[in-house]
Amino acid sequence: MEDLIRPHTYIALRLPSDTIKLVQAVPNTTISIGKYGSFQTNHILGRPFHLTFEILDKVEQNDQSLLRIVSTVEAYAHIKDDTSDVHEPEDQEGAENGGDGVEYEVINPEGKVLMRTNREIIDDSRSQKLTMADIEALKREATGSGKAVIAKILESHSALDQKTVFGLEKYTLRKAKKYLRRFTVLPVDVPLLLEWILNEKEPSKVMEIREEILALIGSWSNVHYSGLQADPSVNNVPDTYSGRWLVVDETGGLLVAAMAERMGILSPPQEDQTHTDQARTTDKPNGTGEDSPTMTIKTAPRSVETQTTAMSADTNTITLIHANTQPNLALLTYFDFDPTSPNLSHPLHAHLRSLSWLQLLSPTEDSSYAEPEVVPDEVIQTMKGGKKSNYYRKRRRWEKVKAVVDQTRAGGFDGLIVASVMDPTAILHNTIALLRGGAQVVVYSPNIEPLAELADYYSTARRTAFQTDPPSSDDFPDEDFPLNPTLLLNPAIYTARCRNWQVLPGRTHPLMTGRGGAEGYVFTATRVLPAEGKVEARGSYKRRKLVDVSSASPASQTVSEYAKNDEYSMAVPP
C-alpha cells in the first residue's frame, strides 16, 4: 500500500463528525467537504497518509483556503488524565457527599469519589443564549478554523458551571465535531471502504456484509498468497497449480477485493523511476505568519510498468463466475483497477479471471467460445491495416476466453467462496465438482434459512441414507437428495458481530448508535473425494479373550500370555 498521497488515487477523508468521504486526488482541483470548507488538492499531494490538516481562513491576497498540519499533541488534547475544576453545589438532604461539599452518586467502599451526580441539571435549550442566526454570523466572521465559534458557544452557555467533568468534556467534544474545520487523510483499504458503504451508502449493494463476517470468510476459506507454481514431479500430478480460488461475487467486487488483499494482488506495482513532488508553497502554513520553504519529497522507487496479457496467470488467481455479460466489479475502481479499461500493470489484470455461467455450463452455446474463421497467411498479407488488426484482435479474444473456460472446467481449485442472492443449492450443484480434495467451501448469506437448508443436505443422517440406498443416476438429483451429501464433510454455520461499548464507572453499556440490518451467516465445509469401489480392511486380527477379574492370573502372566500373540493388552493389577 502507498505511504504517500499520489495523484489520481482515491483517498479517504475522516471528518471531525467521524464520517468518511472518498475522493479522487486529481491535481489542480478543489476538494469540498461540505460545511467544513474546501481546499486545493495540490496542498496534500506528496504528503504522508494519516496526517490531520486544519483548514485556515482565506486571506485577502489569496482566495483559496490554506492548510495547516495539526500535531498529534494538539489533535488529542481533549484526552486528559486529570480532572478540571467544576462548580460544587451545596449539600442536599439525602445525598451522598464525598467530604468536599460536592454531591456524588457513586462512592467506593474506601470513600473515594467515583462519579458526580447530575440530578440538578435541567436540559433546557434556553441555557444557550446564542441562536442559530448568531452562530451562523460567527462562522462567517470568526477566525481560527472554528475555535472562536466553539469558545463563544461555551461562553454563552448559562448552565455550563453545573455540568459534571464528563458532561463538560462530552459537550465540548460534540461542539468540536460540529464546528472544528479539520480532516484526516487515510489510505483506502477494504475495511475502510466497507465502513464507508455501510454508513454512508447503500448496504444492500454489498448484501449488508460486515467487516467481522468478511474476516470470517477469509479465514475459513484459507485465502492466502501462493505465488509459487506447484512442482509437477510431486505425487506425479502434472499440470497442477496452487493458489486458485473460485468465486461467485454479487457484492460489486467487495469480496474479490478482500481476497485480492489477502493474496497480495490488490495494489498496483510501484514505478521504478524516482520522481520528486514539489510541495506547494503556501502563505502562513503554520499559522505563524511566516512563509514556508519549498519542499522536495522523494518517493519510493517504483517498478517499470510492464504490459501483461489479461487473465494469463496460472497461480495465485481468482476465477469469478457471474450471471451477466460482464461482471459487476465497480468497487475495484477505488483500488486503481477499472474492469472496463484496466491498468495493464495492475496485478488483477493477469490474476483475475471471469466467465459467465453460460460459458461454464454450456460453452458451446456461447458465441465468444466459438472459434473465428481461420484466414490463410497469404490472405492476411493482402488485408489492410485496420482489417488485419481486427482479425488478430478477435483471435486473441477467443484464445483468452477458451483458455479461461477450459481451465475452469478442468477444476482443481483450492476453494469456493460464494456471496450471491442465487440459491446456494444450485450454485454448489454445479461447482463442487471443480474443487480438489481438501478444498474449503464458504457460502455467505444475510439470513440463516438458506444456509440451514444447505447444512441439512450435507448432514450425517442424509449422508448415511445416501450411502445405504443410493439413488440411480437417472433419478439424481431428486427431492430427498438435491445434492450429493458425500462430497462435503463437517458442515457448520457461523456468525460474528463486534459491538462497541462505552466503558465508564457506572456508565458501561453498548453504544446506542450501532446500526442494525442483517446479522449475516457463513456456511463452511470441506471438500472430500469419496472412495470408489468396495473398501476392505486387510490383515490378520485375533479376537481377544474376555478376562474374568475374579479368576485372573497375576499381571505379569497376563502380559506374557498376550505378548505371545503380538497383541497389546492392559495388565490387570492383582
Side-chain angles (χ1 to χ4, degrees):
M1 181 175 292
E2 295 283 357
D3 54 352
L4 299 179
I5 304 173
R6 307 284 182 183
H8 302 285
T9 59
Y10 280 90
I11 59 176
L13 305 179
R14 188 177 292 277
L15 306 181
S17 58
D18 290 335
T19 59
I20 297 176
K21 184 179 180 65
L22 262 63
V23 296
Q24 188 176 17
V26 180
N28 304 321
T29 59
T30 302
I31 298 178
S32 176
I33 52 177
K35 65 179 181 180
Y36 299 103
S38 59
F39 60 93
Q40 287 292 313
T41 309
N42 296 346
H43 293 165
I44 62 174
L45 292 179
R47 301 280 187 179
F49 283 105
H50 304 285
L51 287 180
T52 300
F53 296 90
E54 186 174 88
I55 302 178
L56 301 179
D57 301 298
K58 297 180 181 180
V59 294
E60 297 180 357
Q61 296 81 3
N62 194 349
D63 58 348
Q64 299 177 358
S65 297
L66 306 180
L67 299 179
R68 180 180 71 91
I69 298 178
V70 181
S71 64
T72 306
V73 177
E74 182 181 356
Y76 296 96
H78 62 280
I79 302 178
K80 299 179 294 182
D81 293 333
D82 57 337
T83 58
S84 57
D85 296 335
V86 294
H87 175 70
E88 300 179 358
E90 298 179 357
D91 296 347
Q92 297 184 8
E93 184 179 358
E96 295 285 354
N97 194 283
D100 55 354
V102 182
E103 182 186 353
Y104 296 92
E105 285 183 339
V106 180
I107 299 178
N108 63 4
E110 290 77 13
K112 184 179 180 181
V113 175
L114 298 181
M115 185 190 305
R116 177 179 174 175
T117 182
N118 58 358
R119 70 173 65 180
E120 299 299 328
I121 299 177
I122 300 176
D123 190 7
D124 191 355
S125 59
R126 292 175 296 181
S127 301
Q128 179 56 254
K129 303 303 180 182
L130 292 178
T131 62
M132 288 303 301
D134 298 334
I135 295 177
E136 291 297 330
L138 284 174
K139 290 170 62 177
R140 291 191 297 268
E141 300 173 1
T143 59
S145 301
K147 298 178 182 178
V149 177
I150 298 173
K152 190 65 176 178
I153 292 175
L154 296 178
E155 181 182 352
S156 303
H157 200 288
S158 60
L160 196 65
D161 56 345
Q162 301 178 9
K163 291 183 176 294
T164 62
V165 176
F166 176 75
L168 179 59
E169 292 183 356
K170 187 176 180 180
Y171 181 80
T172 306
L173 183 60
R174 186 166 67 248
K175 297 306 175 184
K177 289 183 177 181
K178 189 173 183 180
Y179 297 107
L180 205 57
R181 296 158 57 186
R182 291 178 179 177
F183 64 92
T184 304
V185 185
L186 303 174
V188 178
D189 53 10
V190 175
L192 189 141
L193 177 64
L194 182 56
E195 179 184 354
W196 175 68
I197 295 174
L198 294 179
N199 298 331
E200 309 295 334
K201 294 298 180 179
E202 300 181 27
S204 59
K205 290 188 176 181
V206 295
M207 300 180 64
E208 300 186 76
I209 189 171
R210 301 188 310 277
E211 182 181 355
E212 309 92 275
I213 296 295
L214 201 60
L216 200 64
I217 292 174
S219 177
W220 277 107
S221 59
N222 194 26
V223 177
H224 59 277
Y225 172 76
S226 53
L228 297 179
Q229 196 168 343
D231 189 0
S233 61
V234 177
N235 297 330
N236 296 323
V237 182
D239 300 330
T240 57
Y241 305 98
S242 60
R244 300 169 62 233
W245 278 270
L246 195 63
V247 185
V248 181
D249 182 11
E250 295 186 10
T251 62
L254 179 66
L255 187 59
V256 172
M259 294 179 58
E261 188 176 43
R262 286 173 170 264
M263 299 168 66
I265 55 176
L266 182 60
S267 302
Q270 296 185 347
E271 300 173 358
D272 195 13
Q273 68 269 19
T274 302
H275 64 282
T276 58
D277 294 330
Q278 292 290 336
R280 294 347 186 230
T281 302
T282 59
D283 296 333
K284 306 176 184 179
N286 298 319
T288 59
E290 300 178 357
D291 295 339
S292 65
T294 302
M295 298 175 58
T296 301
I297 303 176
K298 292 188 177 183
T299 59
R302 297 184 161 213
S303 60
V304 179
E305 179 175 334
T306 57
Q307 295 186 0
T308 57
T309 307
M311 308 182 188
S312 59
D314 294 325
T315 63
N316 208 42
T317 61
I318 301 174
T319 302
L320 175 65
I321 306 176
H322 55 88
N324 302 317
T325 306
Q326 296 293 333
N328 180 15
L329 299 173
L331 295 180
L332 294 182
T333 307
Y334 296 104
F335 302 100
D336 197 22
F337 181 77
D338 187 2
T340 59
S341 179
N343 182 5
L344 301 183
S345 63
H346 201 287
L348 288 177
H349 181 64
H351 293 265
L352 177 59
R353 303 181 172 193
S354 63
L355 73 161
S356 64
W357 283 106
L358 179 62
Q359 293 173 340
L360 177 65
L361 302 179
S362 183
T364 56
E365 298 181 9
D366 185 72
S367 59
S368 59
Y369 188 80
E371 183 179 2
E373 181 183 359
V374 179
V375 179
D377 295 339
E378 296 79 8
V379 180
I380 295 177
Q381 298 300 329
T382 60
M383 292 181 179
K384 295 183 179 180
K387 192 174 181 180
K388 183 187 299 183
S389 61
N390 187 30
Y391 169 77
Y392 284 119
R393 184 170 58 253
K394 289 182 178 180
R395 295 289 303 181
R396 287 193 300 267
R397 182 171 63 245
W398 168 76
E399 292 174 356
K400 179 186 67 175
V401 171
K402 180 176 174 53
V404 171
V405 172
D406 291 346
Q407 291 184 15
T408 303
R409 290 172 60 88
F413 288 93
D414 294 322
L416 170 65
I417 306 176
V418 179
S420 173
V421 296
M422 297 174 57
D423 184 13
T425 303
I427 295 177
L428 265 62
H429 176 71
N430 296 286
T431 54
I432 287 296
L434 303 178
L435 305 180
R436 64 169 179 82
Q440 296 297 316
V441 177
V442 179
V443 182
Y444 166 78
S445 176
N447 306 311
I448 194 175
E449 288 78 10
L451 302 185
E453 183 180 3
L454 194 63
D456 177 65
Y457 292 154
Y458 291 103
S459 62
T460 304
R462 201 176 290 263
R463 181 168 60 252
T464 304
F466 185 87
Q467 294 174 341
T468 304
D469 186 15
S472 61
S473 58
D474 297 335
D475 298 336
F476 182 80
D478 55 12
E479 184 178 356
D480 294 333
F481 302 103
L483 296 171
N484 188 347
T486 63
L487 300 182
L488 292 183
L489 285 183
N490 194 24
I493 299 177
Y494 299 93
T495 186
R497 178 184 285 270
C498 296
R499 303 182 188 274
N500 295 326
W501 283 63
Q502 170 184 287
V503 182
L504 291 170
R507 293 192 179 100
T508 300
H509 59 77
L511 294 182
M512 304 306 177
T513 57
R515 64 176 302 273
E519 185 70 17
Y521 298 89
V522 174
F523 168 87
T524 64
T526 303
R527 171 78 160 99
V528 293
L529 303 177
E532 299 180 357
K534 185 178 180 180
V535 178
E536 297 180 356
R538 297 182 179 275
S540 177
Y541 300 94
K542 295 183 179 180
R543 193 170 185 177
R544 292 186 179 183
K545 299 179 181 180
L546 296 178
V547 179
D548 189 1
V549 179
S550 60
S551 61
S553 57
S556 58
Q557 298 179 5
T558 306
V559 174
S560 177
E561 179 182 355
Y562 282 93
K564 296 179 181 179
N565 298 326
D566 295 332
E567 292 185 1
Y568 295 97
S569 65
M570 178 181 295
V572 180

